[in-house]
Amino acid sequence: MKTKAVLTIRETTQILQAARAEAEKNNWPVAIAVVDDGGHLLGMLRLDGGAPISAQIAVEKARTSALGRRESRLYEEMINGGRAAFLSAQLKGALEGGVPVLVNGEIVGAVGVSGVKPEQDAQTAKAGAVAIS
């Protein structure tokens, strides 16, 4: 039997705080979501001024990253590169801004961010993802 690390409320809070700090440093009104390795929501924030839909998109980006075990932008790149078959996959957040959280080389969850430019969403998510490593 294999033993694995899991995100607790402590790590979830650390991830959210680190991503929030990155967003606030840049004045980015984003939503930030943290999910476990099965894509289940553990915590989320929508910063002041963030569009209501950004909360839903952030969760889906995080879920896509966790379930796919990779950054969500890779699915967007595959689709844009001509792999239209991925449009039929059960991935609602195949957009840049979802980043896996790794502990000892294993994916334990993911962070999703939505609300600004794709590369800014990803920058914010990465700041959260590395907060516990």
Side-chain angles (χ1 to χ4, degrees):
M1 174 120 6
K2 184 176 180 179
T3 303
K4 68 176 190 173
V6 296
L7 293 174
T8 67
I9 190 67
R10 180 173 172 241
E11 291 85 22
T12 300
T13 301
Q14 287 176 304
I15 292 166
L16 287 170
Q17 288 175 340
R20 178 182 180 178
E22 181 68 18
E24 288 179 341
K25 175 179 82 174
N26 291 290
N27 295 312
W28 293 336
V30 297
I32 306 158
V34 178
V35 300
D36 66 14
D37 63 338
H40 305 283
L41 185 63
L42 296 174
M44 88 91 59
L45 293 170
R46 187 180 67 174
L47 303 185
D48 293 343
I53 196 160
S54 65
Q56 182 178 352
I57 294 170
V59 171
E60 292 303 333
K61 286 179 178 184
R63 186 172 288 133
T64 294
S65 181
L67 295 175
R69 306 291 196 252
R70 63 189 68 182
E71 287 191 39
S72 57
R73 73 172 171 79
L74 296 173
Y75 292 104
E76 182 179 16
E77 289 172 4
M78 284 188 270
I79 292 165
N80 291 340
R83 298 222 30 218
F86 269 102
L87 291 171
S88 66
Q90 296 292 321
L91 302 172
K92 296 178 184 176
L95 304 165
E96 187 169 5
V99 177
V101 175
L102 288 104
V103 172
N104 298 324
E106 304 255 346
I107 294 174
V108 297
V111 185
V113 175
S114 181
V116 287
K117 294 178 182 178
E119 62 275 5
Q120 296 167 336
D121 287 345
Q123 178 180 329
T124 306
K126 287 175 184 175
V130 300
I132 63 165
S133 55

